Amino acid sequence: MRSSVFHFHGVLGQPRRTEMNPMIRRSQFLAAGVGAAAAKALGPRAGASTLASGSSFLQPLRPIRGLKRSLARAYEFLDEMMDLYANGITLRLAQSYVPTTAQNLGDLAYTYDNAAMITALLQRGTSDDLSRAQTLGDSLVYAQAHDPKNDGRIRDGYHVNPFLSKNGSPRIAFDDDDGGSHTGNLAWAGLALARLYATTGQSSYLTAAVAVSTWIAQNTYDQRGPGGFTDGIAQPDKRIGSKSTKANVVVLALFNLLAGLSGTDPWQSLAQHALAFIDAMWNPQLGHFWLGTLSDGATVNISFIPEDVQSWSYLAAPNPSYAASLDWVYKYLRVYSRPLTGTSFSTADLSGIWFEGSANFALALQIRNARGDAEKADVLLVSLHVAQRTALNADGKGIVAASKDGLKTGAGTKYYAAPHVGATSWYCLSAQEGNPFL
């Protein structure tokens, strides 16, 4: 059940200067409502202070000593999930989840999770991180080049035990209904590959990013209603008529990045096509973005309102006119699940925390940096730090997807308390203030 605690009726304040190194800035946490476990993690208790919202906060007298170790453990988890079945430079992807009694997706590796992991590895950027990011990128390039359709697409998911079949082709996850190519997943893969190119100068990554972007442009460009790009193709080759705002946000980021790398059209004009759709999904009366459209490509889908599109839109295109979407999240999707606090996935279910959302929301608050945003972000990040050790099914390294089993998204799917590559990657990015979209 959603708590009445932490309802925040915020207004946009003026940005404030931050003098700390952005790579370690999160080491000064401000804990709120996370109970004894957080107090123990934070060290000696300081006196309670009260913010304008009326909520009581615990403020440590010294920087938290565990943040650096927490991040190191998170990266250990990512490495372990990548090395479950192979190591070294062997082509492979990272298994997305640690199986639990409530959720067992076996050896499934989601493309989105691996793209987020590549970005997190590049964010820290050690020599081992770069090597691992390249191996994951090489695996996506290989999967694209050896796809049965051979048309530039990448699939939503692959099996990784093993990743390659005896004939050398990637094991597409048809049996798990993830053999489709949804636009958002492809755009994430394109972003990761383009970033690898920008980091390494290796042309194969840019070639693959352009190929997947061309596939998106040729197969999902839509002129119905407010335009934009459709949700892609479901397995087997069933075109999807609906359009998702968050998918268009990632497409916008990808095409903007390609425009910067190549300096050529059509990427800039295609980015504007995505942006026009995003603009059309803005609800000025309530200050949030809608989910997207129904299958007719024109009717706005108001069935539920997700967190991620509110945060992602600001990260990809920090438009002050839409910054209120972050205040909307804080007011309507903030939940308390003793002893943790965070955001839920959407308005469809406020009974638990979706930790990936908590991390991307914390990052968006840090980027916006209006009055009070840093403190709110700290609250979310300290809760993620505590959840790493204390949440249901926590292993002390990875971040679980949700604080409870069966957290509903509103789209017919659920999240579970299983250690998750995607949530852990977002934690790594947020704790280092790394924006994956810019």
Side-chain angles (χ1 to χ4, degrees):
M1 176 172 115
R2 188 187 187 201
S3 168
S4 60
V5 181
F6 304 121
H7 287 193
F8 177 74
H9 303 271
V11 294
L12 299 180
Q14 296 299 314
R16 61 191 181 91
R17 184 178 299 276
T18 299
E19 301 296 343
M20 298 183 188
N21 184 329
M23 294 295 287
I24 60 174
R25 178 175 175 273
R26 294 302 101 200
S27 63
Q28 182 62 54
F29 279 94
L30 187 66
V34 292
K40 183 177 180 181
L42 290 168
R45 172 173 174 156
S49 62
T50 302
L51 299 188
S53 63
S55 299
S56 179
F57 288 73
L58 294 178
Q59 186 170 12
L61 294 172
R62 56 176 173 76
I64 183 170
R65 290 182 294 180
L67 178 62
K68 186 175 181 180
R69 293 194 304 274
S70 174
L71 273 175
R73 289 194 298 268
Y75 277 102
E76 283 179 29
F77 171 79
L78 296 178
D79 293 349
E80 289 170 1
M81 296 302 285
M82 182 176 173
D83 294 345
L84 283 174
Y85 311 108
N87 50 44
I89 61 173
T90 302
L91 291 178
R92 65 197 186 279
L93 296 174
Q95 183 172 297
S96 287
Y97 289 93
V98 174
T100 66
T101 55
Q103 181 189 48
N104 187 352
L105 296 177
D107 68 334
L108 183 62
Y110 284 109
T111 295
Y112 160 74
D113 294 330
N114 280 267
M117 180 174 166
I118 290 171
T119 309
L121 290 169
L122 294 177
Q123 177 65 34
R124 188 174 67 169
T126 68
S127 58
D128 183 63
D129 291 338
L130 181 57
S131 176
R132 287 180 174 278
Q134 288 184 268
T135 297
L136 293 175
D138 292 342
S139 300
L140 291 175
V141 170
Y142 188 92
Q144 182 188 57
H146 292 80
D147 191 272
K149 296 292 185 179
N150 193 28
D151 60 359
R153 75 178 70 184
I154 295 172
R155 306 295 174 136
D156 294 334
Y158 297 89
H159 291 291
V160 290
N161 185 24
F163 174 56
L164 301 181
S165 64
K166 291 182 179 180
N167 66 8
S169 61
R171 297 178 59 234
I172 299 170
F174 284 112
D175 55 329
D176 289 313
D177 205 25
D178 292 302
S181 296
H182 284 73
T183 303
N185 295 332
L186 269 67
W188 266 99
L191 268 177
L193 292 166
R195 290 201 175 283
L196 273 169
Y197 167 73
T199 302
T200 67
Q202 189 169 314
S203 61
S204 61
Y205 298 134
L206 181 59
T207 299
V210 168
V212 76
S213 300
T214 300
W215 189 95
I216 291 171
Q218 291 177 344
N219 291 277
T220 72
Y221 185 94
D222 192 63
Q223 292 183 305
R224 298 171 301 162
F229 297 83
T230 66
D231 285 331
I233 293 178
Q235 195 278 324
D237 277 346
K238 179 181 179 182
R239 293 188 177 273
I240 305 170
S242 61
K243 289 178 283 193
S244 139
T245 308
K246 71 177 181 181
N248 276 268
V249 166
V250 190
V251 168
L252 170 68
L254 171 60
F255 289 170
N256 276 336
L257 181 55
L258 286 181
L261 290 174
S262 65
T264 61
D265 269 338
W267 306 120
Q268 193 58 56
S269 58
L270 289 170
Q272 290 302 309
H273 189 66
L275 182 60
F277 177 81
I278 297 166
D279 288 343
M281 292 298 104
W282 175 247
N283 179 349
Q285 288 75 32
L286 296 179
H288 68 76
F289 287 95
W290 292 112
L291 175 66
T293 73
L294 300 178
S295 59
D296 64 4
T299 305
V300 176
N301 187 345
I302 62 173
S303 57
F304 62 91
I305 305 169
E307 182 282 325
D308 48 13
V309 66
Q310 318 305 328
S311 296
W312 290 12
S313 59
Y314 192 79
L315 291 171
N319 185 341
S321 300
Y322 301 149
S325 65
L326 303 185
D327 298 313
W328 184 92
V329 171
Y330 202 87
K331 182 177 180 180
Y332 292 107
L333 293 183
R334 177 105 166 164
V335 295
Y336 181 58
S337 179
R338 190 175 300 275
L340 306 170
T341 188
T343 67
S344 197
F345 182 87
S346 76
T347 52
D349 186 352
L350 299 173
S351 65
I353 299 171
W354 179 48
F355 289 111
E356 184 180 320
S358 295
N360 64 56
F361 181 47
L363 178 58
L365 289 171
Q366 293 172 84
I367 299 299
R368 187 177 71 168
N369 200 27
R371 184 178 297 120
D373 280 353
E375 289 76 15
K376 298 185 191 82
D378 288 342
V379 170
L380 295 165
L381 285 169
V382 75
S383 198
L384 282 158
H385 172 71
V386 174
Q388 185 182 37
R389 296 182 294 104
T390 66
L392 178 63
N393 297 322
D395 63 1
K397 296 180 180 180
I399 305 297
V400 297
S403 63
K404 55 169 281 186
D405 287 326
L407 181 67
K408 298 175 183 177
T409 65
T413 55
K414 299 176 182 179
Y415 278 102
Y416 292 80
H420 180 211
V421 164
T424 305
S425 296
W426 270 103
Y427 174 55
C428 292
L429 288 168
S430 188
Q432 298 172 91
E433 295 192 24
N435 188 343
F437 297 118
L438 295 179

